[in-house]
Amino acid sequence: MGHSALSGTRVLLGVCAGIAAYKAVEVCRSLVDLGCQVTVAMTADAQNFVGPMTFSALSGRPVLTSIFDPNEPLAHTRLAGELDLIVVAPATADFIAKYRAGIADNGLLATLAASSAPVVIAPAMHSQMWENPATQENVAVLQSRGVLKVGPDTGLLAGGDVGIGRLADPVRIVDVCVDILSGTDRGVEGNSLSLEGIKVLVTSGGTREPIDPVRFIGNRSSGKQGTEIALQVCLMGGTATLITTLVPQIQGLFSTSIGDRLTVVEVETAQEMAEAVFGEIDQADIVIMTAAVADFRPARVLDHKYKKSSGPPNILLEPTVDILDRIGHDHRDDQVIVGFCAETENLENQARLKLVSKQADLIVANDVSKPQVGFGYDTNEVLLVTQDGHYQVPLTTKEEIARAVLSKAAEIYRNKTIKER
Ligand code: CTP
């Protein structure tokens, strides 16, 4: 027991009113086992799910259940000044809305309002409440203020439905706390990470290779992952240039608050995408090739519509330029090049082969044979493969994947630029 680096660190564990409150018991216990001094703050409704006695017994400290504690009237301001970390698990939609608004009508919210300690929230709620635009906006605002978010995960929910909204695994929540308390950044789910001053070039969507004026060879890429990466770059304080085939589909997805952090360049073919990337790469610190670029295109594009009466056409194909391969072999030493690959078997080996052959710094690999993974879905599960190892990001939203990819890429960038100096 006792993780020496964490001994004596002061953590406030906030518990809100959700079924997942029982899992907060495990978070509390693990933090105590690691040597943290844990104070638990429960909202009044949370006490319908777990009793304060459980937490006071585990933490060895009184539980903050009200802003009006007769024994210590100013507990929240004392605590706020002492804390090294505040973690809220589960964080409900109601709590998130109040916290965003600065409401301080219970011990937990009052302590948050008065504290400058890092904050981690682990949301848990029904999918519809999570996907509600109000909740989404509240979370985005909190994240833009530096609040860290873990989960929610996709899976079985309390009412028997399956969807997004499950509390992240307590082990993962504790891992994030440990990273913050010990001052390390594991590079995953690292919402703590600021991309301030970092320029990221992202490609997204599937290219369209024309056959004639009305037909093209295309692919199923929805562009969701690339769009999410560009969005998260902006929310994490960086600037993004998004080179995409999907300009109409992304209209309205980027709120005006992102303003001039984002530049969008519209392209259609692999060749246009290549030219746009080559034209922009000098300005970029990190390049993320999320796009599904056609490997082959018709060698000749007809300038008139091909007629059915001419019979089935023979379309001769020729290779397109492999953008990732080209930039992987020809970029400044301080730039980070990230590629994606979709595989159906031998994920790690295939990804590592691509890492080496294309000279990339990071390959984000997904096994598209798995359910809910990759093309068209809102969720993904990826393996991040670097020269030093690999890290599995379990099934989660494309937003979380985006943040994991960006954290890892930024970590590589920092290491490179430190060496450069
Ligand atoms: N890519 C690229 N230019 C191309 C083709 C792909 O930049 N002409 C990039 C993609 O954006 C992605 C990565 O390369 O980041 C995918 O690698 P690739 O070898 O094309 O993967 P697959 O198409 O899956 O290749 P294979 O069929 O050989 O497995």
Side-chain angles (χ1 to χ4, degrees):
M1 289 231 303
H3 181 291
S4 56
L6 299 189
S7 285
T9 53
R10 292 166 207 245
V11 178
L12 182 76
L13 169 61
V15 182
C16 303
I19 303 274
Y22 75 94
K23 295 187 189 164
V25 174
E26 205 178 319
V27 175
C28 177
R29 204 199 158 103
S30 303
L31 290 171
V32 170
D33 283 353
L34 287 164
C36 304
Q37 294 181 15
V38 182
T39 303
V40 177
M42 302 185 78
T43 64
D45 287 340
Q47 296 164 51
N48 293 322
F49 293 91
V50 189
M53 193 89 80
T54 307
F55 287 111
S56 57
L58 280 175
S59 66
R61 276 155 223 280
V63 172
L64 187 69
T65 51
S66 161
I67 198 167
F68 307 110
D69 180 342
N71 299 318
E72 195 190 349
L74 292 176
H76 60 285
T77 49
R78 174 190 52 81
L79 261 174
E82 294 174 356
L83 292 168
D84 297 304
L85 174 70
I86 301 178
V87 52
V88 185
T92 55
D94 175 69
F95 162 80
I96 289 169
K98 286 181 171 161
Y99 177 33
R100 181 241 165 124
I103 293 172
D105 64 357
N106 62 39
L108 172 59
L109 284 163
T111 311
L112 277 162
S115 170
S116 55
V119 179
V120 176
I121 58 170
M125 64 198 76
H126 192 270
S127 310
Q128 267 160 341
M129 293 179 83
W130 173 250
E131 280 161 2
N132 184 303
T135 308
Q136 286 297 308
E137 188 189 311
N138 292 336
V139 171
V141 169
L142 289 176
Q143 284 183 298
S144 72
R145 291 179 193 158
V147 171
L148 316 171
K149 175 177 74 62
V150 192
D153 285 353
T154 300
L156 191 62
L157 303 174
D161 294 340
V162 173
I164 183 154
R166 262 170 84 92
L167 184 74
D169 187 336
V171 174
R172 220 163 95 229
I173 299 172
V174 172
D175 273 356
V176 172
C177 296
V178 171
D179 282 355
I180 296 166
L181 291 168
S182 58
T184 59
D185 180 355
R186 191 177 297 240
V188 181
E189 300 210 59
N191 329 41
S192 56
L193 195 77
S194 162
L195 295 182
E196 203 66 56
I198 298 188
K199 301 189 197 81
V200 185
L201 179 60
V202 189
T203 64
S204 81
T207 62
R208 296 172 162 200
E209 308 302 330
I211 298 170
D212 69 10
V214 296
R215 304 178 179 93
F216 60 83
I217 298 176
N219 62 64
R220 290 186 194 279
S221 170
S222 65
K224 285 182 180 172
Q225 188 64 76
T227 306
E228 200 54 67
I229 290 176
L231 179 62
Q232 294 303 322
V233 169
C234 301
L235 290 175
M236 292 161 93
T239 52
T241 298
L242 177 62
I243 298 175
T244 181
T245 60
L246 297 167
V247 169
Q249 288 88 331
I250 62 172
Q251 301 293 349
L253 290 181
F254 293 87
S255 69
T256 45
S257 64
I258 281 168
D260 51 12
R261 288 187 179 278
L262 177 75
T263 309
V264 177
V265 179
E266 184 169 20
V267 294
E268 186 175 353
T269 63
Q271 186 58 32
E272 286 172 12
M273 185 169 278
E275 284 164 17
V277 171
F278 301 154
E280 296 281 345
I281 189 167
D282 283 350
Q283 323 312 324
D285 301 312
I286 297 173
V287 185
I288 307 186
M289 286 294 305
T290 323
V293 187
D295 291 321
F296 301 99
R297 66 177 179 202
R300 198 165 69 91
V301 182
L302 299 177
D303 56 12
H304 58 275
K305 185 182 166 200
Y306 187 83
K307 299 303 283 181
K308 187 166 52 182
S309 55
S310 306
N314 275 321
I315 301 173
L316 181 68
L317 300 177
E318 64 181 13
T320 57
V321 50
D322 189 325
I323 308 168
L324 180 61
D325 190 85
R326 184 79 74 81
I327 62 176
H329 284 87
D330 184 15
H331 64 272
R332 290 196 317 269
D333 289 347
D334 62 336
Q335 290 175 311
V336 175
I337 309 294
V338 182
F340 271 66
C341 76
E343 304 291 342
T344 51
E345 54 193 3
N346 297 333
L347 196 58
E348 198 199 328
N349 285 347
Q350 293 294 334
R352 198 158 288 289
L353 284 175
K354 256 167 214 168
L355 185 84
V356 174
S357 71
K358 301 202 185 197
Q359 300 264 290
D361 297 289
L362 168 62
I363 293 284
V364 183
N366 51 95
D367 182 345
V368 285
S369 64
K370 289 194 175 172
Q372 309 278 312
V373 171
F375 285 148
Y377 293 109
D378 289 328
T379 49
N380 207 350
E381 176 184 307
V382 299
L383 191 68
L384 304 182
V385 179
T386 68
Q387 276 142 19
D388 305 329
H390 63 271
Y391 189 93
Q392 175 87 39
V393 187
L395 189 67
T396 182
T397 56
K398 287 193 170 173
E399 176 193 335
E400 288 292 335
I401 302 279
R403 300 182 80 87
V405 170
L406 286 167
S407 300
K408 191 41 109 188
E411 185 188 310
I412 300 171
Y413 176 71
R414 277 199 305 262
N415 288 339
K416 282 192 175 202
T417 45
I418 289 165
K419 277 189 208 136
E420 291 287 295
R421 281 183 209 131

